[in-house]
Amino acid sequence: MTSMRIGILGTGNVGQALASAWARAGHDVVLGSRRPDDPELLARLGELLASGVRVGGPAEAAAHAEVVVNATPGTASVALLRSIGAEVLADRIVLDVGVGFLDDGSLSHPGVSLGEEIQQAFPETRVVKTLCTVDRKVMIAPDSLEGPATVFLSGEDTEAKKVVRGLVRDLGWADDALLDLGGIATARGQENFALLFIGIAVATGTYEFGVRVVLPASGGSVLAP
């Protein structure tokens, strides 16, 4: 892909991992933080800042971007996006990787996905859900797994999904590893996988794994259109 302007909301482990990988791929990345001048934060981001990634407020990161990445906790995402404003986010792509958990470990969006909530709150924004089914390390290093894995795309806008597909490829994912599930309502499946993800992590002793959609070698039933 040609270089894109990416604004990443969230400076935690996921936001930093994505910022590092996309900067290495040649993209212009700004991290959005509520406290962009905090010396402790700047020290923690030292290596990223040295690589050319910049840090600013959430609105600054969003205004800079062609693609806004939501890497904030899912329980806070919609409120943060509202603070930025619908006019700033209008017609932008929001690549949503967030999943919301409550204190008891249950999902904060059990009947509707965070991706859908963002799309409903910002109808002029093009929301694409992806990457929420893998750990931050696997997000940016799919070749670290013993075999190929699958990541998923959900969203209403075909062109937005094409752009996001390119950005995910820039993280190292092969094009045939990306499975388009359809509209934004299918983000419910991606987010609810978080519960199975935790179970697999406990059973295997690691967060660094992927899942692969495997189709029949021949034959098999075909869904009715």
Side-chain angles (χ1 to χ4, degrees), residues 204-222:
T204 61
T206 181
Y207 293 117
E208 296 177 44
F209 60 86
V211 297
R212 179 72 178 176
V213 175
V214 181
L215 300 178
S218 63
S221 61
V222 178

Side-chain angles (χ1 to χ4, degrees), residues 121-137:
F122 302 93
E124 296 183 15
T125 299
R126 298 178 288 163
V127 180
V128 180
K129 188 83 183 189
T130 192
L131 293 173
C132 69
T133 56
V134 289
D135 169 78
R136 62 184 173 89
K137 293 182 180 179

Side-chain angles (χ1 to χ4, degrees), residues 53-75:
V53 173
R54 303 188 301 284
V55 62
E60 179 183 349
H64 158 84
E66 297 168 90
V67 178
V68 177
V69 179
N70 174 45
T72 63
T75 52

Side-chain angles (χ1 to χ4, degrees), residues 146-168:
E146 289 186 358
T150 305
V151 289
F152 307 95
L153 301 170
S154 301
E156 302 297 332
D157 190 288
T158 300
E159 286 303 311
K161 284 195 279 191
K162 181 178 179 181
V163 170
V164 169
R165 181 182 287 270
L167 290 176
V168 175

Side-chain angles (χ1 to χ4, degrees), residues 15-107:
Q16 289 185 55
L18 291 173
S20 176
W22 277 323
R24 286 196 303 271
H27 297 292
D28 180 3
V29 182
V30 174
L31 280 165
S33 169
R34 294 182 186 274
R35 46 189 184 91
D37 299 319
D38 183 350
E40 182 179 336
L41 173 67
L42 295 177
R44 183 157 52 88
L45 298 178
E47 189 174 334
L48 274 177
L49 299 177
S51 73
V53 173
R54 303 188 301 284
V55 62
E60 179 183 349
H64 158 84
E66 297 168 90
V67 178
V68 177
V69 179
N70 174 45
T72 63
T75 52
S77 299
V78 173
L80 177 62
L81 290 167
R82 287 191 190 280
S83 74
I84 292 170
E87 66 282 356
V88 175
L89 297 171
D91 201 40
R92 279 180 170 76
I93 297 169
V94 168
L95 191 166
D96 175 36
V97 302
V99 177
F101 286 99
L102 300 177
D103 291 340
D104 64 1
S106 62
L107 293 176

